[in-house]
Amino acid sequence: MTEKKPYYITTPIYYPNSNLHIGNTYTSVIADVLKRYKNLLGYDTFLTTGTDEHGQKIMKSAQDAGVAPQDFVDKIASETIELWKKLEIDYDRFIRSTEHQHEEDVKKIFKKLYDQGDIYKGEYKGYYCTPCETFWTEAQLEDGKCPDCGRDVDYQEEETYFFRLSKYTDKLKELFKDHPEFL
């Protein structure tokens, strides 16, 4: 008996500051179709999906709804799981970023990356659009507003952690050169 080759699939982790929209469903259906197709080809597939339950938009949406942020995302996550059941989305793991196990996994990965010099502390400066969750430079703004959604932006400076991608530049170039099918 031959061992099945693994094939991992993931959707974006959806941001539950409101009900899901057609784009969320579209990507989940595509991931489900891909999983089923790879299963037919004999792969050992694993599909993850889930929700990213942190951020300013969620806090604001919860405040507007008059509920605690965790209660707000609990409702949307359970509705998402029910929708995937109705659509027969065959995922293997639904991950919520507020789950204890997820938080522990992130801490472990962060520490490993930090200890090997892949993560460093720096400062982010720019004009921030909360609905888009995007920083912009002054030159990118259109009439002082977000170029994507046209809403107001706020100038912010924040200390944050960055991934040292430059450490892997040569390895990535070699990977892309030797395996153009990778992308």
Side-chain angles (χ1 to χ4, degrees):
M1 182 171 160
T2 60
E3 188 176 324
K4 288 183 170 186
K5 188 174 179 182
Y7 193 86
Y8 300 99
I9 309 160
T10 185
T11 66
I13 51 174
Y14 304 120
Y15 201 72
N17 65 305
S18 184
N19 291 328
L20 294 186
H21 53 75
I22 192 69
N24 304 128
T25 305
Y26 176 74
T27 55
S28 293
V29 168
I30 288 173
D32 179 68
V33 169
L34 182 58
K35 177 184 178 181
R36 292 168 192 266
Y37 174 70
K38 288 295 190 174
N39 275 334
L40 288 172
L41 295 178
Y43 286 84
D44 181 19
T45 59
F46 194 89
L47 170 60
T48 63
T49 189
T51 50
D52 177 1
E53 301 176 356
H54 301 285
Q56 292 176 350
K57 286 195 297 189
I58 288 174
M59 185 178 71
K60 173 135 180 33
S61 294
Q63 286 172 341
D64 292 348
V67 297
Q70 189 64 54
D71 294 337
F72 186 83
V73 295
D74 285 348
K75 179 179 182 292
I76 292 177
S78 66
E79 290 171 353
T80 302
I81 290 168
E82 283 305 309
L83 178 59
W84 290 172
K85 281 181 187 173
K86 286 180 184 175
L87 294 174
E88 298 181 16
I89 304 294
D90 185 24
Y91 63 85
D92 296 288
R93 178 83 164 86
F94 189 93
I95 299 169
R96 297 181 61 189
S97 63
T98 56
E99 291 174 351
H100 176 73
Q101 185 61 53
H102 177 76
E103 291 175 356
E104 292 304 310
D105 291 344
V106 168
K107 286 177 192 174
K108 185 171 145 184
I109 293 166
F110 182 91
K111 181 169 179 4
K112 180 177 181 174
L113 292 172
Y114 186 82
D115 289 348
Q116 63 191 34
D118 291 332
I119 294 179
Y120 63 97
K121 198 177 262 191
E123 191 173 79
Y124 218 102
K125 297 177 184 179
Y127 294 88
Y128 188 69
C129 177
T130 300
C132 293
E133 294 185 320
T134 305
F135 274 96
W136 302 99
T137 65
E138 189 170 7
Q140 292 173 304
L141 300 178
E142 293 179 5
D143 297 322
K145 299 197 181 283
C146 174
D148 279 352
C149 71
R151 293 184 177 107
D152 289 334
V153 294
D154 296 308
Y155 183 80
Q156 293 185 13
E157 295 180 19
E158 66 179 34
E159 188 175 57
T160 191
Y161 290 97
F162 292 91
F163 181 75
R164 195 178 312 278
L165 187 59
S166 60
K167 181 176 170 183
Y168 297 94
T169 300
D170 293 337
K171 287 180 182 179
L172 287 169
K173 285 180 179 179
E174 184 177 324
L175 173 70
F176 299 150
K177 181 177 152 257
D178 294 345
H179 300 280
E181 77 284 358
F182 185 78
L183 286 178

